[in-house]
Amino acid sequence: MKATILTIGTEILFGTIVNTNSVFLSRQLNDLGVDVLRHITVGDNRGRLLKALQEAYEDCDLVITTGGLGPTEDDLTKETIAEFFGTELVDHPEELEIIRKWFESQGRVMAPNNVKQSWFPKGSVILPNPNGTAPGFYLSDGKRHIYVLPGPPRENVPMFRDHVAPRLSAHEDGFLFYKIIRTTGIGESDLETKLLDLIDNQTDPTIATYAKPFECTFRVASKRATLKEAQDAVEECMIKIRELVGEYIYSEDDKELIEIMMAELKEKGLKLACAESMTGGMFAKMITDVPGASKVFSRGVVTYCNEAKTSELDVKPETLEKYGAISAQTAEEMVRGLNLYSGCPVCISVTGNAGPDADEGKPVGQFFVGLMFCGKVTVKEFRANRNNRNYIREFACYQMVKTVHNALQSID
Amino acid sequence: MKATILTIGTEILFGTIVNTNSVFLSRQLNDLGVDVLRHITVGDNRGRLLKALQEAYEDCDLVITTGGLGPTEDDLTKETIAEFFGTELVDHPEELEIIRKWFESQGRVMAPNNVKQSWFPKGSVILPNPNGTAPGFYLSDGKRHIYVLPGPPRENVPMFRDHVAPRLSAHEDGFLFYKIIRTTGIGESDLETKLLDLIDNQTDPTIATYAKPFECTFRVASKRATLKEAQDAVEECMIKIRELVGEYIYSEDDKELIEIMMAELKEKGLKLACAESMTGGMFAKMITDVPGASKVFSRGVVTYCNEAKTSELDVKPETLEKYGAISAQTAEEMVRGLNLYSGCPVCISVTGNAGPDADEGKPVGQFFVGLMFCGKVTVKEFRANRNNRNYIREFACYQMVKTVHNALQSID
């Protein structure tokens, strides 16, 4: 099947919200072997919505829409889709009852305009939405299929998984298998150059490279009659790829460096603690984003002001005085103090200048990462080459993860 | 002017990356008074790219593209746009020189395939790209205008600001002025219902409501002959809006609750410290995302394991034993300990269960926020009604911010 993802919502054209639905749906559809040919976003506008549907079905047999199912005046998705399929909206009292009950369960009273959420195009299969007021629906004339889902991800994600994916798997012909390979230490065009022969001399598997923040990834994908054939084709290609760029690969199954680092800590039974100045909790947050982080993460301290570095981590006032908070010496004392208080075998610290302005005469983007690993302390200086606060902080967290990861390799 | 934003990149159709360019460009174009009618994303595919351009110019006179200017085989944006405008690519040796120098400045060697980045459609104005290897260009046949920018935001954002925005302001007719109004404590359809008369009975200013996580915002926009007229129209409308929903409004200039809270702390000269369990550093990270956070934020502790709660915050082992880590008692002892060690007048703590599973028999989504404000301790229980780790953590951070914000109101 070939699909167009159609997003409906003026707020996206205003740039008020990010279109994460298209990201989720694209990934899911690709995993199911559906080729996503196009994303289109239009406002709540009948004419452009009709035109988008027209365009979509010129080369696709599947359209998935999100948005425009709200109770408000400007939501006209259902009317327009009914018109496009040459049918009309019909009332579903049983759905209205469900919507009314949903409001009750939330301890809220249903607003009158929610009634229109129980109207659907004649002949559509209604897709229940346990997480919101707007049910979705599936409509088809045999050749053209459309799944219509609400906009909020917390509503459409489970709806896709429970009601759309199973129906799609039923239609699918070939099987797609792909691997996302993660590398570090090589740029996109160098990576592409090294893989060029492979990329040029085959149509399946396909290889596509992407630049990501701080690293490069690529996708090796094959679509064959059976899943086994697709897997074998990808694996065969991987053998050549490992010969060409193996030294830069750190993951062959799209695992992030942080996941790998945490799995290694768990496997080795080592506990981690962190002391953050510049990153202000971002590193601890990244670690605890992962469920089960408590198995490897003991604690973090965010010593944002100098006085906190002294009282929480025993950083000497003279050190702060003489070398400044942004210094190798401070990074070292932070990590030693952290180890003393936490007793963790793996302690990491960071101090630096995330900008926007020079601080203590230290340039924006300069930072120091301290590591105390099984009794041994090392400090490394880094420099982010961009004056962007968020970029610098994320880059620092990435280097902290890489530092721990590398240390863990050393004791393999 | 009416615009279509055209994104070119197979990786977006694979769902590997998020299309943030369309968000940025939409906001910028709207601010310049350009109506964004449509977003289209296609892969590096000649046929679909031509079709998208065809579609775009049916109702727009401006197209802005991002992506597909890379050095790699699959990047065919320039060839295709040249074809669409009935012209050809011509070589620009001076641009090749700039690209070569850029690589030198990065201490890298230019890969052979970068050469194609110095070819441009005949008659185009080249837009320099100081942050990358791919310059952009502007091409027009008098009626149809196109700006072609590279994909990476760090490259196209400054290019838009420096080379596209000034050119666009030159063509623009009317002036758009809008305000983003933020509310808390009211759902989207209730908000819409309260504003319905206003929304129905006027075409300018327009009012559009959006549901955001944990709160609702709306946009009041007017396009008039002069900026002054547009501002006056919006302000006049705001008077009616304040009468209808004023009690729910916390910001009339799109400031987030956290920014307002921090400004209030700064204004009142109060320092903040936080102790996080469930949110694992997310709150401290949010605070320190804001430049100048050090003026109001003293420190944070992330006491992820019980032992850390005891050693860092003096939470009594008996308390953890008797009530569990996820309890009002623990939240209270955390905030008292934090206050003792930090000496900050405003201390906030959080402990709870972010899921995925019940913990200590406490349901997923249950959490407790402790506040010590100028000597007085309060603890409040919350319940996030969704089993989504990230949602629960963000919801908890939002409630922490709201808790501090409300406390600060109380001493006005």
Side-chain angles (χ1 to χ4, degrees):
Chain A
M1 282 184 115
K2 297 189 185 313
T4 289
I5 296 170
L6 179 50
T7 311
I8 298 140
T10 312
E11 59 271 44
I12 289 178
L13 300 178
F14 281 144
T16 321
I17 64 171
V18 184
N19 187 350
T20 53
N21 291 337
S22 297
V23 180
F24 167 75
L25 291 172
S26 296
R27 199 171 294 156
Q28 296 294 316
L29 290 172
N30 276 284
D31 289 354
L32 289 165
V34 176
D35 298 322
V36 178
L37 299 192
R38 188 185 291 103
H39 294 173
I40 304 180
T41 302
V42 292
D44 301 289
N45 173 292
R46 180 182 158 281
R48 282 189 285 276
L49 186 46
L50 288 171
K51 201 191 272 187
L53 289 165
Q54 194 59 55
E55 159 121 15
Y57 286 114
E58 277 175 28
D59 52 16
C60 298
D61 43 9
L62 172 64
V63 170
I64 299 189
T65 76
T66 59
L69 295 183
T72 62
E73 287 283 299
D74 54 358
D75 295 310
L76 39 75
T77 303
K78 286 192 287 191
E79 298 82 324
T80 311
I81 289 170
E83 178 183 352
F84 182 82
F85 278 82
T87 175
E88 56 184 345
L89 292 184
V90 291
D91 181 12
H92 288 250
E94 74 284 5
E95 289 300 323
L96 183 57
E97 216 21 59
I98 295 170
I99 295 168
R100 199 174 266 121
K101 285 214 173 65
W102 186 87
F103 272 96
E104 278 174 25
S105 74
Q106 303 287 306
R108 289 163 55 194
V109 178
M110 189 181 94
N113 52 15
N114 286 95
V115 171
K116 78 182 264 200
Q117 297 187 304
S118 67
W119 290 69
F120 297 92
K122 209 174 200 165
S124 43
V125 178
I126 295 171
L127 308 175
N129 175 8
N131 303 305
T133 63
F137 63 89
Y138 164 65
L139 189 62
S140 172
D141 60 13
K143 282 201 307 296
R144 303 176 303 179
H145 307 272
I146 191 164
Y147 290 89
V148 180
L149 304 175
R154 68 175 182 280
E155 301 180 22
N156 65 42
V157 166
M159 287 171 84
F160 182 90
R161 293 222 166 102
D162 301 344
H163 302 290
V164 182
R167 284 181 169 79
L168 289 177
S169 321
H171 309 134
E172 229 0 87
D173 48 354
F175 288 82
L176 179 104
F177 178 77
Y178 70 82
K179 278 186 156 193
I180 303 277
I181 312 300
R182 290 174 169 266
T183 69
T184 182
I186 182 169
E188 187 183 9
S189 57
D190 289 343
L191 187 63
E192 165 96 13
T193 305
K194 285 180 190 290
L195 296 174
L196 206 52
D197 292 348
L198 270 184
I199 293 169
D200 284 356
N201 303 329
Q202 59 189 21
T203 53
D204 179 302
T206 55
I207 302 174
T209 60
Y210 324 116
K212 291 204 149 204
F214 325 127
E215 60 183 47
C216 248
T217 68
F218 58 96
R219 181 182 191 271
V220 185
S222 173
K223 193 172 182 183
R224 301 288 172 102
T226 71
L227 183 60
K228 176 85 172 60
E229 285 173 48
Q231 285 169 326
D232 293 348
V234 168
E235 192 37 53
E236 195 182 309
C237 184
M238 279 307 302
I239 293 166
K240 303 188 199 113
I241 288 172
R242 287 184 204 106
E243 284 167 15
L244 295 167
V245 297
E247 63 194 294
Y248 304 104
I249 295 173
Y250 72 78
S251 163
E252 290 192 4
D253 52 7
D254 199 22
K255 282 230 166 57
E256 293 189 16
L257 199 56
I258 191 167
E259 296 175 75
I260 292 178
M261 176 203 80
M262 287 172 74
E264 288 165 335
L265 284 169
K266 195 174 169 188
E267 184 199 321
K268 298 183 162 66
L270 296 169
K271 281 239 175 190
L272 173 72
C274 62
E276 305 178 68
S277 181
M278 168 177 80
T279 52
M282 188 186 262
F283 180 80
K285 186 256 174 197
M286 279 169 53
I287 298 275
T288 55
D289 279 341
V290 183
S294 52
K295 303 248 181 321
V296 297
F297 183 60
S298 158
R299 73 192 71 184
V301 285
V302 180
T303 51
Y304 216 61
C305 62
N306 280 353
E307 191 262 323
K309 292 182 181 69
T310 301
S311 62
E312 302 276 339
L313 298 168
D314 293 355
V315 175
K316 298 192 207 70
E318 313 85 78
T319 307
L320 296 167
E321 184 60 39
K322 186 169 173 196
Y323 303 100
I326 302 167
S327 66
Q329 292 78 2
T330 298
E332 172 167 351
E333 291 187 17
M334 284 171 75
V335 82
R336 286 192 186 279
L338 179 64
N339 173 259
L340 188 69
Y341 286 111
S342 70
C344 287
V346 186
C347 291
I348 187 128
S349 70
V350 64
T351 180
N353 179 6
D357 307 310
D359 183 6
E360 307 178 338
K362 310 293 166 65
V364 173
Q366 184 185 41
F367 62 93
F368 298 86
V369 172
L371 173 74
M372 186 153 182
F373 187 75
C374 306
K376 193 168 159 300
V377 174
T378 50
V379 179
K380 197 164 167 207
E381 177 177 351
F382 296 89
R383 180 77 179 268
N385 59 7
R386 204 177 310 158
N387 188 344
N388 172 313
R389 188 176 174 81
N390 195 50
Y391 174 88
I392 295 167
R393 281 153 52 97
E394 285 179 353
F395 182 64
C397 288
Y398 183 81
Q399 294 303 339
M400 290 165 81
V401 172
K402 208 169 166 182
T403 302
V404 174
H405 175 72
N406 293 346
L408 289 163
Q409 305 313 305
S410 70
I411 58 166
D412 272 352
Chain B
M1 278 182 119
K2 299 190 184 312
T4 289
I5 296 170
L6 180 50
T7 310
I8 298 140
T10 312
E11 59 271 43
I12 289 178
L13 300 178
F14 281 145
T16 321
I17 62 171
V18 183
N19 188 350
T20 53
N21 291 336
S22 297
V23 180
F24 166 75
L25 291 172
S26 296
R27 200 171 294 155
Q28 296 293 316
L29 290 172
N30 276 284
D31 288 354
L32 289 164
V34 175
D35 298 323
V36 178
L37 299 192
R38 186 186 291 103
H39 294 174
I40 303 181
T41 301
V42 292
D44 300 288
N45 173 292
R46 180 181 158 281
R48 283 189 284 278
L49 187 46
L50 289 172
K51 201 190 272 187
L53 289 165
Q54 194 59 54
E55 160 122 13
Y57 286 114
E58 277 176 29
D59 52 17
C60 298
D61 43 9
L62 171 65
V63 171
I64 298 188
T65 75
T66 60
L69 295 183
T72 63
E73 289 283 300
D74 55 356
D75 295 310
L76 39 75
T77 304
K78 286 191 288 192
E79 297 82 323
T80 312
I81 289 170
E83 178 183 354
F84 183 84
F85 278 83
T87 175
E88 56 183 346
L89 291 184
V90 292
D91 179 13
H92 288 250
E94 73 286 3
E95 290 300 324
L96 183 57
E97 218 17 63
I98 294 170
I99 295 168
R100 200 174 265 120
K101 285 214 172 66
W102 186 88
F103 273 96
E104 280 174 23
S105 74
Q106 304 286 306
R108 289 163 56 194
V109 178
M110 188 180 94
N113 52 15
N114 287 94
V115 171
K116 77 182 266 203
Q117 298 187 304
S118 67
W119 290 70
F120 297 91
K122 209 174 199 164
S124 40
V125 178
I126 295 171
L127 309 175
N129 175 8
N131 303 306
T133 63
F137 62 89
Y138 165 64
L139 188 61
S140 171
D141 61 11
K143 283 200 307 299
R144 303 175 302 178
H145 307 272
I146 191 164
Y147 289 89
V148 179
L149 304 175
R154 67 175 182 280
E155 301 180 22
N156 64 41
V157 167
M159 287 170 84
F160 181 89
R161 294 222 167 101
D162 300 344
H163 303 291
V164 182
R167 284 181 170 80
L168 289 177
S169 321
H171 317 130
E172 227 2 84
D173 47 356
F175 287 82
L176 180 104
F177 178 77
Y178 70 82
K179 277 188 156 189
I180 304 276
I181 311 301
R182 290 175 168 264
T183 69
T184 183
I186 181 169
E188 186 183 9
S189 56
D190 290 341
L191 186 65
E192 165 96 12
T193 305
K194 287 181 189 289
L195 296 174
L196 206 52
D197 292 348
L198 270 184
I199 293 170
D200 285 356
N201 303 329
Q202 60 189 21
T203 53
D204 180 300
T206 56
I207 302 174
T209 59
Y210 323 117
K212 290 204 149 202
F214 324 126
E215 58 182 49
C216 249
T217 68
F218 57 96
R219 180 183 193 269
V220 185
S222 173
K223 192 172 182 182
R224 302 289 171 102
T226 71
L227 183 60
K228 176 83 172 60
E229 284 173 48
Q231 285 169 325
D232 293 347
V234 167
E235 192 37 53
E236 196 182 308
C237 183
M238 278 308 301
I239 294 167
K240 301 186 201 118
I241 288 171
R242 288 185 203 105
E243 283 166 17
L244 295 166
V245 296
E247 62 194 293
Y248 304 105
I249 295 173
Y250 72 78
S251 164
E252 290 193 3
D253 52 7
D254 200 21
K255 280 229 168 58
E256 294 189 14
L257 198 57
I258 190 166
E259 297 175 74
I260 291 177
M261 176 203 80
M262 288 174 71
E264 287 165 336
L265 284 168
K266 194 174 171 188
E267 184 198 322
K268 297 182 164 68
L270 295 170
K271 281 236 174 192
L272 173 72
C274 63
E276 304 178 69
S277 182
M278 169 177 80
T279 52
M282 189 186 261
F283 180 79
K285 185 255 176 195
M286 279 169 53
I287 296 276
T288 56
D289 279 341
V290 183
S294 52
K295 304 248 180 324
V296 298
F297 183 60
S298 160
R299 73 193 68 184
V301 285
V302 180
T303 53
Y304 216 60
C305 62
N306 280 353
E307 191 262 323
K309 291 183 181 67
T310 301
S311 62
E312 301 277 338
L313 297 169
D314 293 354
V315 175
K316 297 193 207 72
E318 313 85 79
T319 306
L320 295 167
E321 184 60 39
K322 186 168 174 196
Y323 304 100
I326 302 167
S327 65
Q329 291 79 1
T330 298
E332 172 167 351
E333 291 187 17
M334 284 171 75
V335 81
R336 286 191 187 279
L338 179 65
N339 174 259
L340 188 69
Y341 286 112
S342 69
C344 288
V346 186
C347 291
I348 187 128
S349 70
V350 66
T351 181
N353 179 8
D357 308 310
D359 183 6
E360 306 178 339
K362 309 294 166 65
V364 172
Q366 183 186 43
F367 62 93
F368 298 86
V369 171
L371 173 74
M372 185 152 181
F373 188 75
C374 306
K376 192 168 158 301
V377 174
T378 51
V379 178
K380 197 165 167 207
E381 177 178 351
F382 296 89
R383 181 74 180 270
N385 58 8
R386 203 176 309 156
N387 188 344
N388 172 313
R389 188 176 174 82
N390 196 48
Y391 173 88
I392 294 167
R393 282 153 52 97
E394 285 179 354
F395 182 65
C397 289
Y398 183 81
Q399 293 302 340
M400 291 166 80
V401 171
K402 207 168 166 182
T403 301
V404 174
H405 175 72
N406 293 347
L408 287 164
Q409 305 314 304
S410 71
I411 58 165
D412 272 352

